[in-house]
Amino acid sequence: MSSAIDSVLTETRVFGPFDRVAATANISGMDAYRALCEEAEADLDGFWGRLAREHLVWDKPFTRVLNDSDAPFYRWFDDGELNVSANCLDRHLGTPTANKTAIIFEADDGQVTRITYKELYERVCQFANGIKSLGYKKGDRAIIYLPMSIEVVVAMQACARLGITHSVVFGGFSSKSLHERCVDVGATLVITADEQKRGGRNIPLKSAVDEALSQAGTEGVRHVIVYRRSGSSVEWKDGRDIWMHELVEGQGTDCEPVPVNAEHPLFILYTSGSTGKPKGVQHSSGGYLLSALLTMLWTFDVKDDDIFWCTADVGWVTGHTYIVYGPLAAGVTQIMFEGVPTYPTAARFWEMIERHQCTIFYTAPTAIRSLIKAAESNDEYHPKKFDLTSLRIIGSVGEPINPEAWMWYFTHVGRERCPVLDTWWQTETGVHILTPLPGVTPLKPGSCTLPLPGIEAAIIDENGQELPPGTGGFLVIKKPWPAMIRTIWGDPERFKKSYFPPEAKGYYLAGDGAQRDADGYFWIMGRIDDVLNVSGHRLGTMEVESAMVAHPLVAEAAVVGRQDATTGEAVVAFVVLKRPVPTGEEAQQLARELRDWVGKEIGPIAKPREIRFGENLPKTRSGKIMRRLLRVVALNEEITQDVSTLENPAILDQLSQAY
Ligand code: WT7
């Protein structure tokens, strides 16, 4: 377990709740919150069953809530049928929401496009009719490799409408990662764009798809649908490739939604684990959508006139739940942004909040920290220069937010009048799990506070014993919840091993270290496994290591995370070459080459910040690489730990000096 877990809690500041927000909050205060928690504690089935009936539209009502007969493969509402897209779009037709703006899309270059719920419904139906005409149907799997756009929402919703399981691959991943995912899900359809535009640059997507599909194992892909974003020329494979705009031409604007079982896989999303290749996290339709919608109402406290903005990319779970599914099911107006927070300047977020009168803003600590740096170096980029009074709630997700960044966000963006919601969750949890609620929870900077109603969380030690407040341990969730991961696609054994190991005594093991304070608040201390968090992106050290050793010159590599003031963690790689240890210019040249190599193997986010060469790695006599020592070396700190089990202690000096 990481040493960070033993750190002592020193934060004593408490803020809120805020009357202005509490007065209208959907969960009106601590009593209302406790009542919901108690309802769930007293009767878990009754609680979720009631909410699922109240908030979702069912084609075939369920009679059973939780089916735990095959635990930990829990099933929810599993004799019920519904359609997710109908629950996001059709439900608003014939209501005032139909003519309300669903998405305010702001392009990289600032151009703004608005689309109403009715128009979005029609676009989704047209596209669904298009893919149906190509022969795709319920049970098929589609890979989606698209930029932030109205089109990606259309594509995902159209898949959901037909019962096609989608797997979105983040546009920043390489063709190699794309290929792996195409093979693993057994995709028959790929939806992409010619290029994406970010920060004033065009980045090719279609060519990466071409490359991925030229590799073995993708023969099942029959079509590649291409959204024309930039208009740049792309290679074309006749019979396989189709322009999105040509496919939808003349298609009807209604398309019957296909009812699916509540357990039908809505999507598979890959995320890094501590070992092996990324895991395909499989999510359900009914339970997932229920919780996506409920957290919009509970956590974000959405109202009819809200302008919601989640800055995440749709390639991550945050974009799935809080752009594509939650906001639409809730019928809220949302902002969607194609670009990056620093283009054309680091004031882009603040300008956009002002321009679109954003009321709920949800972003990542890494973005906040980089904008703090920018604001401190140039006053023009400081949020105080902008009218941010439209904001009511501001949120954070993806990694621990340090108290300094929290305070800056609270003071300068929220102007001390908006609650900061530090939402803890994961790809696997589907939705928020531990989070403050706007009208309920007194806030402590750096704490994700309390579990949502229906969630029972605890801290355990390595024997599964529950730990008292003030003691660091493993974060677990004691009871199943509707939006939880169902399995790892194609690998149920790995699912059990990763999340329900015997030590966890039947609880869901999150993979994070945490502790509670005397008020029961949760403080997340970081991952307990070999998973790094770089700019809010999850990265397995093993993944980076296997990418590195795939390089012909590399004999061995070990990767660790180093704390970084902006990105949270940075990747530091220790490399043994199949040739003598390089120095000077040669070392720099090789480091550059290896960085680019990793960029091609995984994606630019995985590129090591620093590479150090040595003639060996610190190993135990049994040959195990001692990463905990490498973590110290990466920090350029003196090693005070016991090194007596090391086979080759001298190597530590060499690696320290290689800096
Ligand atoms: C891991 C999950 C949740 C969607 C985006 C990331 C870390 C996430 C917080 C938070 C401290 C956090 C955890 C978690 N994490 N949110 N509020 N405070 N840590 O999803 O890629 O599946 O990563 O991100 O370590 O396990 P993900």
Side-chain angles (χ1 to χ4, degrees):
M1 214 184 278
S2 117
S3 61
I5 292 169
D6 305 325
S7 71
V8 183
L9 293 176
T10 51
E11 182 60 60
T12 53
R13 290 169 287 193
V14 181
F15 302 93
F18 305 84
D19 294 343
R20 176 178 87 96
V21 178
T24 60
N26 292 336
I27 300 185
S28 58
M30 198 47 99
D31 288 347
Y33 163 74
R34 292 237 189 277
L36 284 168
C37 294
E38 277 157 25
E39 183 191 344
E41 259 161 59
D43 177 8
L44 197 70
D45 271 27
F47 176 72
W48 290 118
R50 169 178 77 77
L51 292 167
R53 273 179 219 108
E54 281 175 15
H55 291 277
L56 297 183
V57 184
W58 294 87
D59 292 296
K60 177 171 171 256
F62 57 90
T63 63
R64 183 168 50 206
V65 178
L66 171 63
N67 178 351
D68 60 3
S69 59
D70 190 24
F73 300 94
Y74 295 101
R75 302 170 61 84
W76 289 87
F77 320 115
D78 70 342
D79 61 350
E81 287 182 11
L82 80 173
N83 181 277
V84 168
S85 163
N87 270 278
C88 293
L89 300 167
D90 309 34
R91 73 184 312 167
H92 305 305
L93 301 178
T95 79
T97 308
N99 294 319
K100 178 175 166 176
T101 300
I103 301 174
I104 304 169
F105 177 75
E106 184 163 317
D108 193 49
D109 66 5
Q111 202 188 330
V112 174
T113 311
R114 287 187 168 72
I115 184 167
T116 65
Y117 271 91
K118 178 84 194 311
E119 289 162 344
L120 184 62
Y121 162 83
E122 289 175 351
R123 298 254 330 248
V124 168
C125 285
Q126 283 190 309
F127 189 64
N129 281 327
I131 49 184
K132 200 157 88 176
S133 75
L134 297 174
Y136 294 97
K137 56 179 194 316
K138 180 169 133 186
D140 290 338
R141 268 98 51 209
I143 287 275
I144 297 181
Y145 189 58
L146 279 168
M148 291 293 283
S149 52
I150 290 172
E151 283 69 16
V152 73
V153 180
V154 168
M156 292 164 75
Q157 286 283 344
C159 285
R161 198 164 188 86
L162 299 179
I164 297 169
T165 301
H166 61 66
S167 184
V168 180
V169 178
F170 173 55
F173 278 126
S174 66
S175 66
K176 183 127 189 248
S177 300
L178 183 63
H179 171 252
E180 269 173 26
R181 287 155 174 75
C182 279
V183 174
D184 199 71
V185 295
T188 50
L189 172 64
V190 176
I191 308 170
T192 189
D194 49 3
E195 294 183 316
Q196 58 177 326
K197 287 173 176 265
R198 281 164 70 84
R201 291 193 307 139
N202 286 7
I203 305 157
L205 290 175
K206 171 69 163 58
S207 60
V209 170
D210 290 338
E211 201 175 315
L213 296 187
S214 70
Q215 310 291 316
T218 56
E219 297 77 11
V221 175
R222 298 198 306 274
H223 297 99
V224 177
I225 300 172
V226 189
Y227 159 47
R228 184 143 76 196
R229 173 63 188 101
S230 70
S232 298
S233 72
V234 287
E235 291 201 11
W236 209 251
K237 193 162 166 186
D238 286 329
R240 185 195 71 178
D241 299 349
I242 309 162
W243 287 110
M244 192 174 193
H245 58 270
E246 287 178 5
L247 179 69
V248 297
E249 219 174 69
Q251 296 290 351
T253 52
D254 288 301
C255 172
E256 201 53 39
V258 176
V260 299
N261 185 280
E263 282 297 311
H264 181 71
L266 175 63
F267 65 87
I268 299 160
L269 188 60
Y270 285 82
T271 191
S272 296
S274 44
T275 55
K277 58 184 175 103
K279 318 182 253 202
V281 173
Q282 179 181 322
H283 276 289
S284 69
S285 297
Y288 170 78
L289 189 68
L290 172 65
S291 302
L293 172 52
L294 286 175
T295 48
M296 288 301 296
L297 300 173
W298 290 351
T299 314
F300 292 125
D301 193 36
V302 291
K303 304 287 183 323
D304 194 40
D305 55 356
D306 269 315
I307 310 282
F308 177 80
W309 184 15
C310 164
T311 70
D313 193 283
V314 285
W316 310 108
V317 75
T318 310
H320 280 60
T321 307
Y322 298 111
I323 295 177
V324 179
Y325 292 111
L328 296 182
V332 75
T333 296
Q334 69 173 318
I335 300 165
M336 192 176 181
F337 177 41
E338 182 180 41
V340 299
T342 48
Y343 178 82
T345 75
R348 184 71 181 261
F349 276 5
W350 321 134
E351 283 169 5
M352 283 182 64
I353 290 171
E354 184 179 303
R355 177 156 52 245
H356 302 300
Q357 291 293 292
C358 174
T359 58
I360 306 168
F361 180 67
Y362 191 40
T363 195
T366 187
I368 298 168
R369 288 192 299 262
S370 74
L371 296 177
I372 295 175
K373 264 218 296 219
E376 283 172 353
S377 68
N378 186 339
D379 220 34
E380 289 306 302
Y381 307 149
H382 200 286
K384 71 184 175 207
K385 298 271 179 179
F386 300 86
D387 180 5
L388 305 184
T389 50
S390 59
L391 290 173
R392 185 172 93 254
I393 290 162
I394 56 180
S396 164
V397 60
E399 57 189 306
I401 178 164
N402 47 309
E404 304 75 52
W406 194 103
M407 284 306 299
W408 188 90
Y409 194 34
F410 177 66
T411 309
H412 299 294
V413 181
R415 310 277 157 89
E416 298 180 22
R417 52 203 280 285
C418 304
V420 174
L421 309 178
D422 177 1
T423 61
W424 179 89
W425 58 297
Q426 312 173 294
T427 306
E428 294 88 338
T429 68
V431 299
H432 306 149
I433 291 288
L434 304 171
T435 176
L437 298 176
V440 175
T441 325
L443 308 168
K444 302 185 191 183
S447 170
C448 56
T449 75
L450 300 169
L452 282 174
I455 300 293
E456 262 181 67
I459 312 290
I460 61 167
D461 67 13
E462 49 278 318
N463 303 314
Q465 286 301 324
E466 222 166 292
L467 293 167
T471 313
F474 304 98
L475 175 65
V476 293
I477 302 165
K478 293 168 73 174
K479 285 182 185 158
W481 65 101
M484 70 190 296
I485 174 176
R486 293 306 193 259
T487 187
I488 292 174
W489 179 258
D491 202 347
E493 277 313 306
R494 191 172 176 200
F495 166 77
K496 276 205 273 195
K497 245 172 81 182
S498 306
Y499 306 109
F500 293 93
E503 314 85 81
K505 303 260 167 70
Y507 298 160
Y508 168 85
L509 182 71
D512 278 17
Q515 61 173 295
R516 298 181 88 161
D517 66 18
D519 296 326
Y521 277 36
F522 286 83
W523 298 77
I524 304 294
M525 306 302 180
R527 298 287 308 191
I528 48 168
D529 49 15
D530 291 318
V531 170
L532 307 183
N533 194 320
V534 181
S535 298
H537 301 320
R538 214 162 122 175
L539 209 57
T541 51
M542 289 271 288
E543 239 178 295
V544 185
E545 285 167 11
S546 24
M548 298 202 82
V549 296
H551 188 283
L553 285 179
V554 176
E556 237 184 328
V559 164
V560 299
R562 176 175 68 204
Q563 265 211 339
D564 182 274
T566 307
T567 59
E569 277 186 293
V571 175
V572 178
F574 296 90
V575 174
V576 182
L577 294 176
K578 293 174 184 163
R579 54 158 89 161
V581 178
T583 53
E585 181 53 37
E586 191 198 359
Q588 283 183 27
Q589 163 68 30
L590 278 167
R592 263 197 304 276
E593 188 177 322
L594 287 178
R595 253 200 298 277
D596 290 344
W597 173 270
V598 173
K600 284 201 80 162
E601 289 281 302
I602 303 174
I605 51 172
K607 285 186 184 181
R609 177 79 53 86
E610 191 188 321
I611 295 180
R612 293 193 198 183
F613 298 101
E615 62 201 28
N616 206 338
L617 298 170
K619 288 178 190 151
T620 61
R621 287 186 184 90
S622 59
K624 198 168 171 295
I625 297 171
M626 296 193 72
R627 284 193 180 68
R628 72 180 165 85
L629 296 177
L630 288 175
R631 276 191 266 274
V632 182
V633 175
L635 282 166
N636 296 315
E637 282 174 6
E638 194 152 349
I639 292 174
T640 54
Q641 285 104 324
D642 178 20
V643 297
S644 59
T645 53
L646 263 193
E647 169 79 44
N648 52 350
I651 198 67
L652 292 172
D653 282 336
Q654 187 187 42
L655 293 171
S656 301
Q657 278 154 24
Y659 175 60

